[in-house]
Amino acid sequence: MAGLVLASLNQRSILVGILVIVCNNVLTAAAWTTTAPTSIQRSHQNNPHSSHRIGWSTTQLSYRDDEHDTLESKKKSSPPPAKDFQSRMKRMAMRRRETGKSWRPPNVQTATSLEDFANVIQEGRTKNQLVVVRFYANWCKKCQALRPSFDKVASSKPQVIFVDVPVTNTNVELHQGLGVKSVPFAHIYCPEKGLVVEEKISRRRFSEFEELLEKHSS
């Protein structure tokens, strides 16, 4: 009987000891929770330049928000582009194209009939000037590609008369009578000798034609 009483007392003492340990742990945790923020705040006050992780992250996010607001305000405050800017640029481009197409060297003439052609040849004889004729057609791509080279040579030789003779529905007999079977084609007329060069020309072989022109104009 005495042994049973002693065993019961030992179990009770063990339970009391466990309860004491648990109570002590709870009190310690509560005390740390209460004093921890105060310690962090004191360390920050003692060293204002130090920044713990939570405070730095909050400051960084606040800075980024301010920067975003600043960029948005700049976008809203910037003046909108002029509405008619594109239309003005298009008009300028079209004007330049039209000017480039219409401009020709002053010594380039156009003959659309047999009478016009005869008058130009007679002018060359009267003024003792060389006459260079280019036969072409508006639908001919090779003729269009050759025009800049023709105008360039005309600009470099203002003492020579250059003539453009286009193919039309009313002057087919003019080309046939002059022996022009295809375009682009060229003639060179000297004041004394008359027709000295008649040949088919191209952009690739235009340098050869320039040599012939230089030969007869010198």
Side-chain angles (χ1 to χ4, degrees):
M1 186 68 179
L4 293 174
V5 172
L6 290 174
S8 177
L9 290 174
N10 290 332
Q11 289 178 354
R12 289 182 181 180
S13 62
I14 291 171
L15 290 174
V16 170
I18 293 172
L19 289 175
V20 171
I21 293 172
V22 170
C23 290
N24 288 334
N25 289 338
V26 170
L27 291 175
T28 304
W32 184 89
T33 305
T34 306
T35 57
T38 305
S39 62
I40 294 174
Q41 185 176 7
R42 287 177 180 176
S43 63
H44 182 69
Q45 290 177 353
N46 295 333
N47 188 6
H49 297 288
S50 65
S51 58
H52 47 82
R53 186 179 300 277
I54 297 176
W56 182 84
S57 300
T58 306
T59 306
Q60 186 182 31
L61 290 174
S62 176
Y63 173 76
R64 288 181 178 178
D65 291 339
D66 294 341
E67 184 179 7
H68 179 71
D69 294 339
T70 304
L71 292 176
E72 290 295 329
S73 61
K74 286 183 179 180
K75 290 181 180 178
K76 293 180 180 179
S77 61
S78 60
K83 295 181 180 180
D84 59 338
F85 177 75
Q86 280 188 331
S87 59
R88 281 185 294 139
M89 294 302 294
K90 288 181 179 179
R91 287 197 299 268
M92 290 176 62
M94 291 297 296
R95 194 176 303 167
R96 289 179 181 178
R97 290 178 183 176
E98 292 175 358
T99 304
K101 288 182 179 179
S102 61
W103 183 87
R104 301 298 300 276
N107 57 331
V108 176
Q109 303 182 25
T110 302
T112 57
S113 64
L114 179 59
E115 183 180 0
D116 294 340
F117 185 80
N119 290 335
V120 174
I121 299 302
Q122 184 60 37
E123 181 183 354
R125 291 176 180 174
T126 303
K127 296 181 178 180
N128 197 27
Q129 289 181 313
L130 202 68
V131 179
V132 179
V133 185
R134 179 179 74 113
F135 299 93
Y136 74 99
N138 291 326
W139 42 261
C140 174
K141 292 184 178 180
K142 292 182 179 180
C143 300
Q144 295 175 2
L146 195 60
R147 175 178 163 176
S149 301
F150 187 77
D151 289 350
K152 184 178 179 180
V153 174
S155 300
S156 63
K157 293 186 176 298
Q159 75 281 4
V160 178
I161 300 174
F162 289 81
V163 187
D164 268 343
V165 182
V167 177
T168 64
N169 296 330
T170 59
N171 67 354
V172 177
E173 296 180 356
L174 171 61
H175 293 76
Q176 292 178 351
L178 295 172
V180 178
K181 299 179 180 180
S182 62
V183 289
F185 206 82
H187 283 183
I188 297 179
Y189 292 86
C190 287
E192 301 86 4
K193 300 179 182 180
L195 181 61
V196 292
V197 175
E198 50 179 341
E199 65 175 24
K200 185 175 178 61
I201 56 176
S202 63
R203 187 177 181 182
R204 183 181 300 178
R205 299 178 55 188
F206 193 75
S207 59
E208 298 177 6
F209 179 75
E210 286 183 285
E211 292 177 1
L212 292 174
L213 178 59
E214 189 68 29
K215 174 183 176 180
H216 292 285
S217 61
S218 59

